[in-house]
Amino acid sequence: KDKTMLFCALARAVGLTAHPALLHTTFGEHIKTWLPTPLAFDHVIAILTDPNSKEHWVDPTLTNQQGGLATRGLPDYGCALIVRAGNDRLSPVHPPPTARSSVKYLEMFDVPGFDQPARLSVRTMYTGLNADAVRRDFAQNTPAELGKSYLNYYASIYPGLTATAPLRFNEHARENEVFVDENYSVPNLWTLNATEKKWVAEFYPKPI
């Protein structure tokens, strides 16, 4: 992987210690049970030693990444063979706990009246590799395309739903957190049950 080799060369040029590391993206830790074979590896990442002698795993081939080494997304590769003199064993490769990928949803309904459209606001927070994926989506698609895609996601359960504001993207780059805000009008959220004479609404935990 030329990106990994370039990363290691640049790191060494500024006085850091960096080595390439071989791994398998599909079989992960299962290669521990294999007999020695070059087929045990299909990818190359790097391990970096900072000035405090702490080691950090990085994948220079990933794109759209932000955040420090403690929060930057990393797949759970399982284990890798560090290419450095004297090393003859596999090392564990796991993303740090502060860089785990996650998605958190906050959906809020504001209902001015049973017979009036409800207002739906959605804030979604992404971390780790999920944050990288959202950055990529916003870099590769137009706001109109993304707005339509996000709207269709909720329109499938709330017919007639319309957007009341453009889709908004913002992030805390240092913490590697990405936020997406959506705002909609939901007509006919409530229906009157004529038999029981009650207003009824259904809410769906679609992200789950």
Side-chain angles (χ1 to χ4, degrees), residues 5-201:
M5 297 305 295
L6 177 60
F7 172 85
C8 290
L10 291 172
R12 292 166 184 165
V14 296
L16 299 174
T17 301
H19 295 90
L22 309 175
L23 55 85
H24 203 292
T25 55
T26 301
F27 293 105
E29 292 185 342
H30 293 290
I31 63 173
K32 291 179 179 179
T33 63
W34 294 11
L35 293 174
T37 169
L39 300 180
F41 310 113
D42 69 352
H43 189 44
V44 188
I45 63 172
I47 187 167
L48 176 72
T49 304
D50 66 23
N52 297 318
S53 299
K54 185 177 180 179
E55 292 186 327
H56 305 272
W57 293 102
V58 294
D59 188 341
T61 69
L62 298 178
T63 58
N64 299 291
Q65 291 204 297
Q66 293 286 349
L69 292 172
T71 58
R72 188 161 297 218
L74 182 76
D76 196 347
Y77 286 128
C79 63
L81 178 66
I82 303 173
V83 183
R84 62 184 170 198
N87 183 51
D88 62 353
R89 65 191 60 203
L90 298 169
S91 301
V93 181
H94 303 290
T98 50
R100 293 286 182 182
S101 298
S102 68
V103 183
K104 296 180 180 179
Y105 294 88
L106 176 61
E107 299 177 351
M108 297 184 65
F109 285 88
D110 181 10
V111 183
F114 291 126
D115 57 347
Q116 299 179 42
R119 293 185 288 267
L120 168 62
S121 63
V122 184
R123 163 161 277 209
T124 311
M125 185 182 82
Y126 304 85
T127 64
L129 296 175
N130 289 328
D132 301 343
V134 174
R135 283 193 198 94
R136 182 169 57 251
D137 285 343
F138 275 80
Q140 296 177 351
N141 298 280
T142 67
E145 291 171 336
L146 288 169
K148 182 178 180 181
S149 174
Y150 277 70
L151 184 146
N152 289 339
Y153 178 84
Y154 281 102
S156 63
I157 53 176
Y158 300 115
L161 174 141
T162 58
T164 57
L167 201 63
R168 288 185 298 172
F169 169 95
N170 61 81
E171 65 177 325
H172 297 158
R174 186 177 182 86
E175 291 80 18
N176 192 27
E177 296 175 343
V178 166
F179 301 88
V180 177
D181 291 294
E182 308 165 65
N183 290 275
Y184 303 107
S185 175
V186 184
N188 305 316
L189 176 65
W190 296 83
T191 57
L192 180 62
N193 186 315
T195 303
E196 299 181 4
K197 297 182 179 180
K198 293 181 179 179
W199 288 94
V200 180

